[in-house]
Amino acid sequence: MSMPKQVRLTLVKSTAGRLAAHKACVRGLGLRRMHHSSIVLDTPENRGMISKVHYLLKIEEV
């Protein structure tokens, strides 16, 4: 079996002054502060959160 695809996310813009739902998405993706990175599975649920806050993130395929 092959490993599920993964995506590396880096928070490049601050969540200060953003909507509460957008802050919750960033936290749900495992990001805590500026320039912090996390690796998440490429699932439809995570893709939905990424698309909601794409303007705050740098997205790289792993």
Side-chain angles (χ1 to χ4, degrees):
M1 284 177 40
S2 65
M3 292 292 296
K5 288 188 178 182
Q6 295 180 330
V7 180
R8 179 187 304 274
L9 305 172
T10 305
L11 189 63
V12 294
K13 286 190 177 182
S14 174
T15 59
R18 306 295 177 188
L19 295 172
H22 289 202
K23 288 182 183 182
C25 283
V26 169
R27 292 290 297 149
L29 290 167
L31 299 169
R32 297 175 179 270
R33 60 192 170 274
M34 291 276 299
H35 308 294
H36 185 243
S37 294
S38 70
I39 297 176
V40 298
L41 293 177
D42 192 8
T43 63
E45 296 83 4
N46 286 340
R47 278 288 173 184
M49 288 195 285
I50 291 168
S51 68
K52 188 176 246 189
V53 294
H54 67 90
Y55 64 98
L56 299 174
L57 305 173
K58 181 173 84 171
I59 305 159
E60 303 171 60
E61 298 290 331
V62 177

